[in-house]
Amino acid sequence: MSNNIPKFLKDIDMNKMLKQVWESFAIQGEITSSLPDILKRLIQVDLHSLARDHGIDQPDKKSDKEIIARLLELMADSKKIEEILMIARPDEFDLFIELLDVDFKDIDEMPYESYAYLMEYGMVFSFYYRERRYLLISEEIKSIYRKINTPLFNAHLEKYLLIYKYIKALCNFYGAFDQEQFIDIYNSINQDHLNIAGFKAISDKLVSRPQSFFNHGQHIVEEYFLHASYDEVDSFIEKIEDKPYYIPGKEELLKKADDFYFEMTPQLKVLRDYIIGNICRDEKIIGSLIKDIELLCFFEQPFHEVIYEFKRNDILFESTRQLNTLMPLIVDVYNNTRTWNNRGYTANEMNELFGEDTPLIKDMPIEQLDDAIFKKVGRNDPCPCGSGKKYKKCCSR
């Protein structure tokens, strides 16, 4: 397929292109930390965008001088600053705290998405100076934050950040959950209990900005379903609503708030060790392959898709005997992977612990698989079936 890509597309350096886009969002030229000076140097489209984000109506009908004067008033409101920071994500708030203690930070390799929310409201500003990007907090915002940085503010902020982490973890682990289910799970592993009113007050504010989750009626749903129809989301919720939850310990559950968290289960380790020892010794390739297989099993993709993942990673099988040895190991991974459809349980656990009629995945006849997953065999080579005969006197007939 790559041979069909036009040459001009092949020649594009995507990283360079992205950096040029990020640079276009920055103020060009020397760095300043004075908020009035920064606002005066914003190009008109960015100034109007900042004005709208702070609730200034029809900025295109106002002069730049009027907009800047109004922004300076609004951005001096400590309550507004509290509200903005309260729904910052953990990594965004960590970045804000880091910037408080420096004049500016070199962010030439930092993706724009890492600070876009903070910049949207003028909590930070980026500069492009001497061919590098820099990020800073204005002196005025630093001064306001030092005034609101109280034990009470920090207690509220810590609560918001914790609830955010739990929502992320539950979405990643279960796909969807309703408010009562959140309260039950949260209260079962935390001493400081939460009620529905307290949870809803926080969650509604969190979803007031783009997140990797969204409200669906009384449920909070992972962004995987963002482009699904309303009926498709309802169908998924109906499918799982009578199943019990698998609730890991607090520490293990919160690990799942990380979108890139990966658990090397015993079954995946056995599979990885067999592949490295018998099929491909490139540990980097196999590490990527194992994560791809785990993801396919997590989403319960057809078994043949798991097998074809080897070919997509340019790994071909020597023989049907080799594939026959491998397939039960993949089946074991499949049946011991925690899934959304089982509310965090594995198919094996649902069958053994709850007597659920959860279908266990079995391997499939090799003849149903595409020959492209095998290495090409010469007529005088040993037959891939493992018979010991030459290919021309065995399966090529």
Side-chain angles (χ1 to χ4, degrees):
M1 184 175 293
S2 62
N3 292 332
N4 297 326
I5 299 175
K7 185 178 185 303
F8 78 93
L9 286 178
K10 290 182 180 180
D11 293 339
I12 291 176
D13 184 335
M14 292 304 296
N15 289 330
K16 183 177 180 180
M17 180 183 291
L18 275 175
K19 290 184 74 172
Q20 288 173 343
V21 172
W22 300 336
E23 289 160 8
S24 71
F25 298 143
I27 298 168
Q28 308 293 309
E30 290 190 9
I31 300 170
T32 178
S33 59
S34 163
L35 185 57
D37 291 343
I38 290 172
L39 295 179
K40 290 174 185 175
R41 290 177 58 187
L42 291 176
I43 61 173
Q44 193 171 70
V45 65
D46 290 340
L47 182 64
H48 287 185
S49 178
L50 183 61
R52 281 189 289 269
D53 289 331
H54 279 277
I56 298 176
D57 292 330
Q58 298 180 313
D60 53 314
K61 295 185 178 181
K62 296 176 174 65
S63 70
D64 289 356
K65 186 176 180 180
E66 289 177 295
I67 293 171
I68 290 171
R70 183 60 180 142
L71 278 173
L72 289 172
E73 290 178 17
L74 294 169
M75 295 174 73
D77 183 350
S78 59
K79 291 296 181 185
K80 178 66 174 177
I81 303 303
E82 283 187 19
E83 290 174 4
I84 294 168
L85 294 177
M86 202 66 74
I87 60 173
R89 296 170 190 152
D91 58 322
E92 293 167 340
F93 188 73
D94 288 345
L95 176 61
F96 182 84
I97 294 299
E98 181 185 352
L99 290 169
L100 285 172
D101 296 325
V102 297
D103 293 333
F104 50 82
K105 176 182 173 67
D106 186 324
I107 58 162
D108 207 52
E109 301 301 325
M110 182 184 291
Y112 173 73
E113 292 77 13
S114 299
Y115 57 90
Y117 169 73
L118 295 173
M119 201 164 86
E120 180 181 347
Y121 290 98
M123 297 299 97
V124 302
F125 291 94
S126 64
F127 287 80
Y128 185 63
Y129 180 58
R130 293 182 177 175
E131 299 187 350
R132 296 192 72 81
R133 280 184 301 133
Y134 298 91
L135 197 67
L136 61 76
I137 301 175
S138 70
E139 290 303 323
E140 289 78 2
I141 297 297
K142 283 184 178 182
S143 178
I144 293 169
Y145 178 76
R146 292 187 183 106
K147 292 176 183 176
I148 68 175
N149 185 21
T150 63
L152 181 60
F153 169 77
N154 287 319
H156 286 160
L157 179 66
E158 186 177 339
K159 191 71 170 181
Y160 269 75
L161 293 174
L162 185 62
I163 297 303
Y164 169 81
K165 286 182 180 179
Y166 270 100
I167 291 175
K168 281 281 294 178
L170 266 63
C171 281
N172 286 343
F173 197 42
Y174 302 122
F177 58 88
D178 66 28
Q179 296 172 15
E180 291 186 0
Q181 291 160 343
F182 181 95
I183 298 301
D184 289 344
I185 293 172
Y186 181 90
N187 289 346
S188 72
I189 54 180
N190 287 278
Q191 293 183 344
D192 59 323
H193 286 188
L194 188 67
N195 59 34
I196 289 181
F199 169 68
K200 185 166 175 52
I202 295 175
S203 65
D204 283 352
K205 288 182 180 178
L206 289 174
V207 297
S208 67
R209 58 166 293 192
Q211 300 281 10
S212 60
F213 48 83
F214 61 96
N215 281 334
H216 179 86
Q218 295 299 309
H219 287 77
I220 294 181
V221 183
E222 213 274 339
E223 66 177 347
Y224 173 84
F225 295 100
L226 190 59
H227 300 295
S229 69
Y230 202 91
D231 288 343
E232 287 173 325
V233 180
D234 278 346
S235 177
F236 168 72
I237 291 171
E238 183 179 349
K239 181 179 179 179
I240 64 173
E241 64 181 352
D242 292 328
K243 293 183 178 180
Y245 278 97
Y246 171 81
I247 306 175
K250 179 178 179 177
E251 183 178 347
E252 184 62 26
L253 179 58
L254 286 177
K255 287 180 183 177
K256 301 181 189 304
D258 181 354
D259 291 329
F260 299 100
Y261 174 69
F262 169 75
E263 180 185 2
M264 179 63 77
T265 64
Q267 293 79 18
L268 284 169
K269 187 177 184 304
V270 169
L271 176 62
R272 182 199 64 187
D273 291 348
Y274 175 79
I275 296 171
I276 290 175
N278 298 274
I279 301 176
C280 175
R281 297 188 182 278
D282 190 321
E283 295 194 12
K284 185 176 180 180
I285 291 176
I286 302 309
S288 175
L289 171 66
I290 289 295
K291 289 181 179 180
D292 290 341
I293 289 174
E294 190 273 342
L295 192 62
L296 288 168
C297 293
F298 176 80
F299 284 110
E300 300 178 271
Q301 294 299 299
F303 188 80
H304 68 270
E305 288 295 332
V306 182
I307 297 296
Y308 290 145
E309 195 61 34
F310 285 82
K311 186 176 186 299
R312 285 189 280 269
N313 281 272
D314 296 322
I315 300 172
L316 301 177
F317 299 106
E318 297 279 357
S319 64
T320 54
R321 178 179 296 174
Q322 187 180 69
L323 182 55
N324 274 325
T325 304
L326 182 77
M327 288 174 77
L329 304 182
I330 297 176
V331 169
D332 203 28
V333 168
Y334 210 115
N335 290 325
N336 286 283
T337 297
R338 304 192 180 282
T339 67
W340 284 352
N341 282 334
N342 290 328
R343 278 190 164 171
Y345 281 100
T346 69
N348 276 343
E349 288 171 341
M350 292 296 285
N351 279 273
E352 294 171 8
L353 299 178
F354 300 101
E356 295 285 332
D357 188 21
T358 302
L360 296 174
I361 298 301
K362 299 179 181 179
D363 58 17
M364 60 189 297
I366 287 178
E367 55 266 21
Q368 293 183 17
L369 297 170
D370 194 321
D371 287 342
I373 64 174
F374 294 101
K375 291 182 179 178
K376 291 185 178 180
V377 185
R379 287 178 50 77
N380 290 314
D381 291 337
C383 186
C385 75
S387 66
K389 299 179 180 178
K390 289 184 178 182
Y391 181 59
K392 65 182 180 182
K393 292 188 177 181
C394 191
C395 293
S396 70
R397 291 181 174 181

